[in-house]
Amino acid sequence: MGQGLLQIGLTLAVAIIITPILGKYIARVFMGESSLLDRVMNPLEQVIYKLADVNPQENMRGRQYAYSLLQSNLFMGILVYLLLSFQKNLPWNPNDFGAMRWDLRLHTTISFLTNTGQQHYLGEKALSHFSSTAALNFLMFVSAGTGLAVGIAFLRGLTGKPLGNYYVDLIRGITRILLPISVIGAIVLLAQGVPQTLSAPLLIETLEGRTQYIPTGPVASFEIIKLLGTNGGGFFGANSAHPFENPNGATNLIELIVMMSIPTAMIFVYGAFTNNIKQAWRLFWMVFIIFLALLWITASGEFIGNPLVNSNLGLEQLPNLEGKEVRFGWSQTALWAVIATATMNGAVNGMHDSLMPAGGFSTLLSMFLHVIWGGIGTGIVYLLIYQYLTAFWAGLMVGTTPEFFGRKITKRSIVLASFVVLIHPIAVLIPSAIALAYPVSLSGISNPGAHGISQVVYEYISASANNGSGFEGLIDNTLWWNLSSAGTMLLGRYVAIFAVLLLADSMARTKPAPAIPATLKTDTLLFNGLTVAVIFIFSFLIFFPLLVNGPIAEGFRLATGQ
């Protein structure tokens, strides 16, 4: 127990040290200040702007920003779908893989385009090296860059500045942040034993005298961006539980830190944009406390273990080791599960379907809340929208005109903010209800009762939150699951982004109002406490029936020995 807690504590300590440093760097990049990479990247970016016919000085309105984003994403999605369709005729295909079924190709394309990384296929049995790099690796960079651009545009609108240019934000996010860190990270992973090759699978002879194929590929470059960009989709079906993706304790630590880095740093980007680092720290600790609570619930459940198994073995207490890699154990698996779902990163180093009910509760709740720490760029957006709604309600309760960052809160902005928050449960509850109501969709559920409900809800909440992980007992590679989860991903990603950009534009064009003694202060502990209450009222209570019928009911059944 003590060793496991020490590992968790040291990992979080490293993350806390790195977070404000990275946050200040990201802020400098997008505020146009000088940075270390200017001499290398400025000429490269100018070439890209000329080739793409982009005017870097042009500022876009909300609709322009949104339409540019949607058009570019549509083009990239069609391109990747075609690459996956014709992979048999493209290079770097040593296994001579053909195309996946059309619905699986569509699901895979949408999954990586929306920064979800939800996989209904096994990468080592379905994709060529070319598809993994030119298609999915490409999408992992641009989808992460898209989310980062949206977050930055929202921060600009929040502070009354023009939203900027989508193409400039996308390119700078990739060239100044994602690409440099990915190159360094891939080299580090390569040094730790993660393969990076375009060769065919290795043919070896086993101790029994039989032959076995060991698949390899460009894993290191795939692994680092899947974690840094909160994508989550693995090169192998076992994801980061596979020894080629995550060989040892050192790589596990590196990958955990990388996974947390940008989502946590975005809070300090907000502090730099608003020139209020004090409020950034308060927001950070507010989220961190909720994160620690979910981590404690998960880790306690895994350490105590399954009471039915322990009683059958005649033991008082044995950690739950089902679905876990022995080299990581209960503590690192619990920490990874909470971090991955809190940052909307679908990567796993153990099977979430094998978590105790407490772990299922925490992972589901993380994705329900969508703000701990949230996806790359979008996490800070949802957190600030909740603060925006809190300022509105608090202002009404004390009888003053609601304001946020020195600007009146308008009817239009409240409608848009409410829509952003409500699209998440709509995208989850409706398909979950359909899946649980009809036998065709129920055919993929491999567990009866409460755990089966958790499987279904997890699939859709993971898709809507653009997380991508799953309770992998679900048999999800069918027409129903591929199309329904693809629709949920599109709804949770692009409809929400469109509303977010309209909200940012509305806030940017709202005239500032001078502060008066009655103006509600948003950088206080009291306001942060109110924000927590609003988050749980909006998200927790909406999804509470699903938690009761899923992991909570399962936990009670285990506790009573049923």
Side-chain angles (χ1 to χ4, degrees):
M1 178 69 170
Q3 182 181 3
L5 293 179
L6 178 62
Q7 292 173 343
I8 292 173
L10 290 175
T11 302
L12 296 181
V14 173
I16 291 172
I17 293 171
I18 292 175
T19 290
I21 300 172
L22 180 59
K24 291 177 183 178
Y25 171 74
I26 295 174
R28 291 177 67 88
V29 168
F30 287 105
M31 293 173 73
E33 300 177 6
S34 60
S35 65
L36 296 174
L37 297 176
D38 284 352
R39 294 182 63 182
V40 176
M41 293 303 177
N42 278 342
L44 174 62
E45 290 171 359
Q46 292 303 319
V47 172
I48 296 174
Y49 295 149
K50 288 182 179 180
L51 292 175
D53 193 24
V54 172
N55 178 9
Q57 307 302 322
E58 178 188 4
N59 285 311
M60 295 180 173
R61 296 284 296 272
R63 288 184 181 275
Q64 288 177 293
Y65 204 103
Y67 286 142
S68 297
L69 185 155
L70 294 175
Q71 288 169 2
S72 65
N73 276 233
L74 177 62
F75 172 78
M76 290 183 288
I78 294 173
L79 174 63
V80 167
Y81 184 85
L82 292 175
L83 290 178
L84 295 179
S85 299
F86 295 101
Q87 74 168 353
K88 187 175 179 64
N89 307 111
L90 296 173
W92 303 348
N93 188 8
N95 296 307
D96 198 30
F97 287 138
M100 298 182 287
R101 286 196 333 267
W102 73 269
D103 56 305
L104 183 56
R105 289 201 307 273
L106 181 63
H107 175 273
T108 302
T109 301
I110 291 174
S111 178
F112 283 87
L113 182 66
T114 57
N115 197 236
T116 306
Q118 189 180 66
Q119 294 173 291
H120 289 175
Y121 66 93
L122 296 177
E124 63 268 42
K125 293 185 177 181
L127 293 179
S128 67
H129 296 337
F130 187 86
S131 294
S132 295
T133 53
L136 301 192
N137 226 343
F138 163 71
L139 283 186
M140 286 196 286
F141 274 100
V142 295
S143 65
T146 297
L148 194 55
V150 171
I152 295 300
F154 185 81
L155 290 178
R156 292 191 185 116
L158 184 70
T159 53
K161 300 181 180 67
L163 302 192
N165 187 301
Y166 164 70
Y167 298 107
V168 173
D169 291 338
L170 174 67
I171 292 168
R172 290 180 71 86
I174 294 174
T175 59
R176 306 300 182 99
I177 299 164
L178 298 173
L179 188 59
I181 298 176
S182 294
V183 170
I184 296 171
I187 293 172
V188 173
L189 292 180
L190 184 62
Q192 289 294 318
V194 179
Q196 180 73 14
T197 177
L198 296 175
S199 301
L202 301 175
L203 178 62
I204 64 171
E205 184 177 344
T206 67
L207 295 176
E208 298 172 336
R210 301 178 180 179
T211 57
Q212 181 179 354
Y213 285 94
I214 306 295
T216 61
V219 184
S221 59
F222 197 98
E223 182 76 5
I224 190 66
I225 187 57
K226 94 169 187 188
L227 298 166
L228 180 66
T230 67
N231 294 281
F235 190 92
F236 299 99
N239 209 281
S240 294
H242 196 289
F244 282 178
E245 290 198 27
N246 192 4
N248 52 54
T251 57
N252 195 69
L253 173 63
I254 293 168
E255 292 178 10
L256 283 169
I257 299 301
V258 168
M259 193 160 34
M260 291 185 69
S261 58
I262 295 181
T264 55
M266 287 303 295
I267 291 180
F268 292 93
V269 177
Y270 155 74
F273 268 75
T274 59
N275 198 26
N276 193 345
I277 297 298
K278 175 184 175 182
Q279 171 65 353
W281 274 113
R282 285 183 171 172
L283 276 179
F284 177 86
W285 291 121
M286 179 191 81
V287 176
F288 190 76
I289 289 171
I290 302 174
F291 169 80
L292 283 183
L294 296 177
L295 178 57
W296 177 80
I297 292 171
T298 304
S300 298
E302 298 308 305
F303 177 73
I304 294 171
N306 191 322
L308 298 182
V309 173
N310 291 343
S311 61
N312 290 335
L313 294 176
L315 301 172
E316 291 185 3
Q317 187 270 322
L318 178 71
N320 173 35
L321 296 178
E322 179 189 342
K324 295 177 176 59
E325 289 296 303
V326 176
R327 66 186 189 276
F328 304 136
W330 65 270
S331 62
Q332 291 298 295
T333 306
L335 176 61
W336 185 295
V338 176
I339 290 177
T341 49
T343 59
M344 302 308 142
N345 190 314
V348 297
N349 74 344
M351 295 300 102
H352 287 195
D353 194 48
S354 296
L355 292 172
M356 297 301 296
F361 173 88
S362 296
T363 52
L364 282 169
L365 184 57
S366 293
M367 292 185 287
F368 289 158
L369 298 180
H370 218 207
V371 295
I372 316 164
W373 304 87
I376 182 169
T378 56
I380 188 64
V381 169
Y382 278 92
L383 181 59
L384 293 175
I385 284 177
Y386 277 116
Q387 285 220 308
Y388 195 74
L389 294 172
T390 302
F392 173 70
W393 287 329
L396 292 182
M397 286 190 291
V398 299
T400 64
T401 303
E403 297 177 6
F404 195 67
F405 276 96
R407 287 173 170 76
K408 300 293 184 183
I409 297 178
T410 64
K411 175 183 176 181
R412 171 183 169 81
S413 63
I414 283 298
V415 170
L416 289 170
S418 301
F419 182 77
V420 172
V421 172
L422 291 175
I423 196 65
H424 189 42
I426 290 172
V428 175
L429 297 177
I430 293 177
S432 294
I434 296 172
L436 291 169
Y438 292 96
V440 172
S441 50
L442 278 173
S443 62
I445 302 174
S446 59
N447 288 275
H451 195 81
I453 293 175
S454 295
Q455 283 184 324
V456 171
V457 174
Y458 199 109
E459 179 78 1
Y460 290 116
I461 192 66
S462 170
S464 176
N466 302 131
N467 175 273
S469 61
F471 273 17
E472 293 304 336
L474 186 71
I475 304 170
D476 48 24
N477 186 14
T478 64
L479 183 64
W480 161 257
W481 291 110
N482 285 335
L483 296 185
S484 62
S485 56
T488 298
M489 286 187 282
L490 290 173
L491 190 63
R493 177 75 166 180
Y494 293 113
V495 175
I497 280 179
F498 198 91
V500 162
L501 291 172
L502 292 182
L503 174 60
D505 187 62
S506 177
M507 291 188 295
R509 292 188 291 115
T510 302
K511 294 182 180 179
I516 60 176
T519 300
L520 179 68
K521 295 183 177 180
T522 60
D523 59 352
T524 64
L525 293 177
L526 174 61
F527 186 79
N528 285 345
L530 289 174
T531 302
V532 173
V534 169
I535 290 171
F536 276 86
I537 289 172
F538 242 109
S539 294
F540 181 76
L541 294 182
I542 288 175
F543 290 108
F544 187 66
L546 298 178
L547 294 172
V548 168
N549 288 285
I552 294 177
E554 186 182 1
F556 275 113
R557 290 191 62 185
L558 280 179
T560 56
Q562 298 180 15

